[in-house]
Amino acid sequence: TTSTGLLAQMAAAKGPASWDYDCEVPQFVEPCRRAVEFSLEHSLHDQATFFAEQLVAGNPEDCEAVRLLALSHLRRGDAARARDVLDCRHSAEPRLRYLLAHCHLQLDQPAEAVGVLLPLPPPASAGRSASSSAPAPGELPINLLDGVPGGAPGLFLLGQAKERLHMRE
């Protein structure tokens, strides 16, 4: 499918007479999402950004739309804008956290990347001692590593960030 074909599908889904920004346009979402993915696949980053902005404008709570917008900005070389898109969401969604950490590393902000990749430890419960489950200095508890978004790639980003902070462990 060409980009022009996707535009034609989107126009057919909701004709000009029915374009109303106050109504839901679920028929617009899927062709627009495909247009973003097509554009990213073919290195049409400005076009991908345009379509991703339309997706987010239509549904700002859609994590996938936000991810596509941030990825579009990142691929355009605008890590600061991608970071801003992700920062304002304060999402626990692992894919968004991974992208946010990637942005921080590209912007030479390794401490922020570590903060995004490692979730805060849960508060110690009243029934058990915090020291009994505390890791040794310089070690990360295994359960925290389970929370690193992106699996192995997330751990790799964490290693890069810690290396930049001279926190080799």
Side-chain angles (χ1 to χ4, degrees):
T1 306
T2 66
S3 177
T4 307
L6 289 173
L7 289 172
Q9 288 177 12
M10 289 168 37
K14 281 289 194 182
S18 63
W19 288 351
D20 181 3
Y21 292 104
D22 293 331
C23 69
E24 289 188 33
V25 285
Q27 295 173 342
F28 173 78
V29 172
E30 192 52 38
C32 193
R33 190 178 311 274
R34 285 195 317 260
V36 174
E37 291 166 352
F38 175 88
S39 300
L40 287 172
E41 183 179 330
H42 293 89
S43 300
L44 303 169
H45 305 305
D46 290 336
Q47 180 173 301
T49 301
F50 170 78
F51 285 119
E53 286 172 343
Q54 302 312 305
L55 280 175
V56 172
N59 187 1
E61 302 303 316
D62 181 1
C63 285
E64 180 61 11
V66 171
R67 185 188 75 81
L68 287 171
L69 178 57
L71 188 58
S72 298
H73 285 305
L74 202 53
R75 296 249 181 106
R76 285 178 53 224
D78 195 349
R81 184 164 281 177
R83 179 204 53 209
D84 293 344
V85 165
L86 295 165
D87 258 348
C88 70
R89 299 304 189 274
H90 302 290
S91 177
E93 167 68 32
R95 293 179 304 165
L96 298 184
R97 287 178 44 218
Y98 176 84
L99 270 180
L100 181 56
H102 194 276
C103 293
H104 282 303
L105 278 178
Q106 283 202 353
L107 295 168
D108 198 26
Q109 300 170 334
E112 289 83 351
V114 169
V116 169
L117 289 168
L118 288 179
L120 294 174
S125 64
R128 60 177 227 242
S129 165
S131 62
S132 66
S133 64
E139 290 183 11
L140 294 173
I142 297 299
N143 62 344
L144 282 180
L145 294 178
D146 289 340
V148 173
L155 289 172
F156 179 75
L157 280 181
L158 180 60
Q160 284 185 320
K162 287 187 164 248
E163 186 174 272
R164 289 184 192 180
L165 290 171
H166 307 292
M167 296 173 58
R168 296 186 183 153
E169 297 174 6

